[in-house]
Amino acid sequence: MNDPKKRKDARRALRSDGQLRQSQLVSTFGPGAMVDLVDRAVVIGGLEHWSYGAKGYVALDDPRLRRSLIPRLKALDPDLDLAREGYFRMAPEGDARNHHPSVGVRALEFPRWFVCQKCRRLARASEQFENKSGRYRHECAKNKWSSVVPVRFVAACKRGHLSDFPWIPFAHLGREGVCDRPELYLEERAIGDIARILVHCKNCDATTPMSKATVLPYNCNGDRPWLGGRAASEPCDQRSELLVRTASHAYFGQVVSALRLPDPEPDPLRQRLRDKDVWKAVQKVKTAEQLSMIAGLMEHVASAIGEAPAEKVLAAIRAENEATTATSERPLRSAEYDRLVHAPTEQPGAVPDRGVQFAAYRVPKPRIELPPGVGGLVVVPELREVRVQVSFSRFDSIGANLQGEYEFAGRKVKPTVLTLPTGNEKWLPAAEVRGEGVFVELDEKALSDWEKRDAVKERTKQLERAFGLDKRGEFPGIRFFLLHSLSHLLLTAVSLECGYAASAIRERIYCGQAEVDGPNMAAVMLTTGTTGSEGTLGGLVEEGRRIQHHLREAWDLGRLCSNDPVCAAHDPSSESSDRRTEGAACHGCLYIAECSCEWFNRFLDRALVVPTIGNDPELAFFRERP
């Protein structure tokens, strides 16, 4: 007979330890991120630990984004590469009602040190505590058991490596050697001051306050537990630093996104050759004889080729191979900007075809009111955006360039990878967002005249001085400050009436030179979307047609901040300033939810957009109310 208790234990063994949304595994909780569960803490496993089961993965391949990412991956590690197909994949989709160990993302227990909630005993879980039904507990006194929890302090370095905090040598810091039988306790006072947290060894009575952990005398050992423990360690020249597991700077994912742009004039023959089965058969064909033989043996290949001459088919195969293996590509934002500014004029009653990945229409100027300084409006009723995580860092975020791409080649300290470079996982985790957007283009002549104003030139020097003191990357230019600040003001104004919360709208800044010797980009796009299949309801596009109304609301929002005159008079270059990358900007006026901002609420100055208290009105691009 079947034992009911054994069946119950078997069901419990198959149960997953937690759930995350698929999109979260591409940013906030990607490989190498630490996650708190009910009774323990884990680190999300690398791509080797992602299992898709019999259903297989969902590919989100995008050749344009692949060609852009390959040289950046090579800059991280020469062994990193992407496969020819299936190189962008959605995270595994689990089933909450039918758990299976071969489907999902494996998480590894980390940290391995736990602390008793009653007696404060600090030790490795495997050495001191008992695991009962998946929970660790400690026998503080005879027949008196207490629960234990993961310790909240770990060690990490700026290259992203992660390891258990060196508790034993740290408890004996300043002493010669370590006692023969360390018995550690983590004593905490009621006050949250780190100086009141003590690591005490009862065996030798050594005590060290955690305040001394702000500067550790230990080198990083290069541990990468998300890739499989010490076997995946690598040499590291950085110092270990104290890190709180749940701190906001414990994980920064480098995510690159690109809009899905269909070919302007798709070649029907190349479209047919891209079929998975057809391409697998013809991708290595070089001669007409080889093509004829394969077409004679495989009916689906003959059907794809049709009556096309052999020379044309071979040329299409060569072109497709060159496009697939290319290692350089037009900058991501440049290609998008070009497609948006050359969007066809919107016709009355025009509706995008069902299932299209991208549809954009320029609204004719007679149909809308555009204030001075605004060059045009493009509505995007259908868009799909692919977001791909490339790497991650700890302690410091890494900013992308104005094209939304990461330049790893010139960095002294590079972020860490999601998979073993020498392994078999030649893909990256991705998510696809389906939604809509509004593209607002500024007038280039008005921008050039504004940049030549004396007040603007002086403000540029002030921001450049502050940027030099901050020593973080390159100065993005005064035009970017204007576009970014306008984007935040406009996003807040639109969110009040479009039906979407401000945190559900994202910005996309187009700034700088589109190509060498090409036109300058100067536009902002507000988008909203979801990773589900239902998309959006069209509210953002419809509100975009009332652009003048929303620009007026944005102008009113930026004129006065609740922290004025302190906010408006902020000088980022002063010695007392703690915000080197912002001018007149704070939580009362320009800061928005970080999920909506591409730049972590940096590079903002509303005085460049609208007149503000105590600043020269000549600074403002929109000096008069639109």
Side-chain angles (χ1 to χ4, degrees), residues 234-523:
E234 64 177 355
C236 183
D237 58 357
Q238 300 291 308
R239 280 294 181 96
S240 286
E241 299 184 39
L242 176 70
L243 179 64
V244 179
R245 289 189 294 105
T246 55
S248 59
H249 65 310
Y251 191 86
F252 295 101
Q254 284 79 58
V255 179
V256 179
S257 70
L259 302 183
R260 283 197 184 276
L261 299 179
D263 294 336
E265 297 179 2
D267 182 352
L269 177 60
R270 287 182 63 178
Q271 291 282 75
R272 295 195 299 270
L273 289 177
R274 287 173 188 165
D275 179 81
K276 184 177 180 180
D277 295 330
V278 174
W279 181 245
K280 187 176 181 180
V282 303
Q283 60 181 334
K284 296 183 180 180
V285 169
K286 303 292 184 182
T287 65
E289 290 76 12
Q290 293 175 342
L291 181 65
S292 177
M293 181 181 67
I294 291 177
L297 294 174
M298 299 182 180
E299 190 174 324
H300 62 286
V301 174
S303 176
I305 294 173
E307 300 297 328
E311 295 78 9
K312 185 176 180 181
V313 177
L314 292 173
I317 294 173
R318 283 195 300 270
E320 195 65 22
N321 272 314
E322 290 171 1
T324 307
T325 58
T327 56
S328 62
E329 176 70 10
R330 284 185 69 189
L332 295 176
R333 297 290 167 94
S334 296
E336 295 170 7
Y337 181 81
D338 182 65
R339 183 63 63 89
L340 287 162
V341 296
H342 293 101
T345 303
E346 185 182 38
Q347 301 298 326
V351 177
D353 295 333
R354 186 178 180 86
V356 297
Q357 295 183 342
F358 180 83
Y361 307 104
R362 179 173 292 276
V363 181
K365 291 185 178 180
R367 206 181 298 169
I368 55 170
E369 295 183 26
L370 293 178
V374 179
L377 174 72
V378 177
V379 294
V380 189
E382 295 287 346
L383 67 81
R384 295 192 186 185
E385 177 189 359
V386 181
R387 298 175 186 169
V388 178
Q389 184 175 358
V390 181
S391 58
F392 70 88
S393 59
R394 307 192 198 275
F395 297 108
D396 290 325
S397 62
I398 297 176
N401 59 21
L402 296 185
Q403 292 283 350
E405 301 169 332
Y406 292 93
E407 301 295 347
F408 298 133
R411 292 190 60 85
K412 183 178 179 181
V413 179
K414 297 178 182 179
T416 192
V417 295
L418 310 180
T419 181
L420 279 172
T422 55
N424 297 322
E425 307 303 324
K426 305 300 182 184
W427 57 277
L428 294 173
E432 185 181 59
V433 176
R434 305 181 183 188
E436 57 181 312
V438 176
F439 178 84
V440 181
E441 182 185 4
L442 297 190
D443 182 75
E444 179 61 33
K445 184 179 184 307
L447 265 176
S448 298
D449 294 341
W450 172 78
E451 289 173 325
K452 294 174 183 176
R453 297 178 191 174
D454 293 336
V456 175
K457 291 180 179 178
E458 185 59 35
R459 189 70 158 193
T460 303
K461 293 178 182 178
Q462 184 186 59
L463 292 169
E464 282 184 324
R465 283 197 303 271
F467 217 85
L469 294 171
D470 192 54
K471 298 179 180 178
R472 295 184 67 174
E474 297 181 2
F475 183 66
I478 197 70
R479 178 180 294 209
F480 182 82
F481 273 80
L482 165 65
L483 290 167
H484 195 202
S485 305
L486 173 63
S487 172
H488 281 215
L489 289 172
L490 192 58
L491 186 152
T492 304
V494 170
S495 69
L496 298 175
E497 299 185 43
C498 73
Y500 300 111
S503 59
I505 305 175
R506 287 172 57 93
E507 67 179 0
R508 202 168 183 84
I509 311 295
Y510 295 89
C511 180
Q513 200 170 40
E515 301 284 353
V516 177
D517 299 326
N520 287 326
M521 298 187 293

